[in-house]
């Protein structure tokens, strides 16, 4: 929805079904690109319902695409029963992240509840990240022997020291206070009326003139030119 100078996009449910549907993911990419051409919109806000990025949803998706004996951790290399579904998940999420990374608008991510690996990574493309006081970042890929998708290590390595980036993705979970102390979260907000608080935070930045905002984002985005190379390397490594 559009609220004056803000575009709000809420992920409500069935996020893995969405991300593996090429047509729906391309519709989202087109929507994001259209926002960039609308001079009346100054910020794009991504929000998630509390259960949409949960470990339960992640487990259900992963167990549905890998062989049953692999989910029990019997092999270091997972074998897929539905490899194309996994590849679509990675490729479409990467395409969405690259689109967001190139935006000249402010991008704000509101993180609510538990956030699993791919969407923790995707959230780091935002310019500002606000999390609810009970948010938890789950490195759910580790229990299946998967790599950290969603560009997680690219962004962690950009924001943190190499060893700290590795340490974080090898944990089971990262609490919101630690994420804030590391600078991965801009502000921790109360869980009550979380969307409304995100909107109020966003409006503090929307008074900036469009030209200043556009050019500032262009220059700030310069280092992200290497994001495409990172995703290309990931695709080569996984034989996508």
């Amino acid at each position: 929805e559009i609220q004056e100078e803000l575009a709000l996009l809420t992920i409500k449910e069935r996020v893995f079904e969405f991300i593996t549907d090429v047509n729906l993911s391309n519709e989202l990419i087109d929507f994001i690109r259209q926002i960039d051409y609308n001079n009346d919109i100054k910020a794009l806000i991504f929000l998630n319902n509390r259960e949409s990025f949960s470990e339960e949803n992640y487990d259900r998706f992963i167990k549905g695409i890998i062989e049953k004996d692999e989910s029990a951790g019997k092999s270091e290399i997972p074998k897929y029963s539905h490899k194309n579904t996994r590849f679509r998940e990675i490729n479409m999420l990467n395409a969405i992240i690259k689109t967001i990374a190139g935006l000249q608008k402010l991008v704000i991510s509101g993180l609510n509840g538990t956030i699993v690996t791919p969407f923790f990574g995707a959230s780091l493309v935002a310019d500002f990240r606000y999390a609810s006081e009970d948010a938890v970042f789950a490195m759910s890929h580790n229990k299946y022997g998967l790599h950290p998708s969603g560009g997680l290590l690219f962004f962690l390595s950009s924001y943190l020291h190499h060893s700290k980036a590795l340490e974080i993705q090898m944990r089971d979970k990262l609490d919101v206070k630690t994420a804030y102390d590391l600078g991965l979260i801009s502000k921790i907000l109360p869980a009550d009326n979380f969307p409304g608080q995100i909107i109020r935070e966003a409006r503090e930045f929307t008074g900036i003139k469009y030209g200043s905002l556009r050019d500032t984002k262009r220059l700030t985005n310069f280092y992200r030119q290497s994001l495409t190379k990172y995703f290309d390397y990931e695709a080569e490594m996984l034989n996508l």
Side-chain angles (χ1 to χ4, degrees):
E1 64 177 304
I2 305 297
Q3 291 190 16
E4 298 175 351
E5 71 273 38
L6 302 176
L8 282 76
L9 197 152
T10 304
I11 308 299
K12 296 182 177 180
E13 58 183 355
R14 295 182 296 182
V15 64
F16 286 101
E17 290 88 338
F18 179 90
I19 211 69
T20 53
D21 187 312
V22 174
N23 291 329
L24 289 176
S25 293
N26 282 330
E27 283 185 26
L28 175 58
I29 290 172
D30 288 342
F31 173 76
I32 295 170
R33 287 173 174 164
Q34 289 169 15
I35 287 173
D36 219 20
Y37 292 110
N38 187 335
N39 292 346
D40 294 327
I41 296 176
K42 293 184 176 180
L44 171 63
I45 301 175
F46 282 91
L47 298 164
N48 69 290
N49 283 0
R50 292 188 61 79
E51 302 302 322
S52 57
F53 296 159
S54 68
E55 290 185 275
E56 291 77 12
N57 285 341
Y58 184 84
D59 290 342
R60 190 181 305 114
F61 172 71
I62 295 298
K63 288 178 180 178
I65 63 173
I66 63 175
E67 295 182 3
K68 290 183 179 180
D69 60 339
E70 301 301 324
S71 68
K74 295 180 181 179
S75 172
E76 293 181 1
I77 302 175
K79 295 181 180 178
Y80 296 100
S81 55
H82 295 83
K83 182 180 289 186
N84 288 339
T85 303
R86 170 62 169 170
F87 288 176
R88 283 199 305 274
E89 175 223 354
I90 294 172
N91 285 329
M92 294 314 301
L93 185 57
N94 287 355
I96 292 168
I97 291 170
K98 285 192 291 185
T99 303
I100 296 171
L103 283 181
Q104 299 174 48
K105 313 289 184 179
L106 285 179
V107 180
I108 296 170
S109 179
L111 301 166
N112 199 11
T114 298
I115 313 295
V116 291
T117 302
F119 302 107
F120 178 32
S123 74
L124 296 176
V125 74
D127 302 304
F128 300 98
R129 292 167 297 280
Y130 301 103
S132 61
E133 57 194 347
D134 56 353
V136 176
F137 305 97
M139 308 301 134
S140 304
H141 63 285
N142 286 322
K143 60 183 174 182
Y144 296 103
L146 301 173
H147 81 289
S149 58
L152 179 60
L153 276 181
F154 173 85
F155 293 113
L156 287 180
S157 298
S158 299
Y159 300 146
L160 305 172
H161 188 274
H162 172 84
S163 59
K164 179 59 70 173
L166 283 173
E167 176 199 329
I168 287 173
Q169 71 88 25
M170 290 179 181
R171 297 185 185 186
D172 290 333
K173 289 182 171 59
L174 182 70
D175 65 86
V176 70
K177 177 63 166 56
T178 302
Y180 174 77
D181 290 341
L182 290 170
L184 301 175
I185 298 299
S186 305
K187 187 179 289 188
I188 301 173
L189 299 172
D192 293 340
N193 190 27
F194 187 65
Q197 295 182 75
I198 295 292
I199 292 172
R200 284 196 293 273
E201 293 289 338
R203 293 198 190 283
E204 293 189 11
F205 302 107
T206 54
I208 299 173
K209 291 185 177 180
Y210 175 74
S212 177
L213 178 59
R214 178 199 60 202
D215 293 343
T216 299
K217 276 300 301 274
R218 282 178 175 173
L219 292 169
T220 306
N221 281 343
F222 180 79
Y223 86 96
R224 288 180 170 177
Q225 295 180 56
S226 58
L227 179 61
T228 296
K229 291 183 179 180
Y230 174 89
F231 285 143
D232 287 345
Y233 179 70
E234 178 186 39
E236 179 184 346
M237 184 181 74
L238 299 175
N239 196 26
L240 295 183

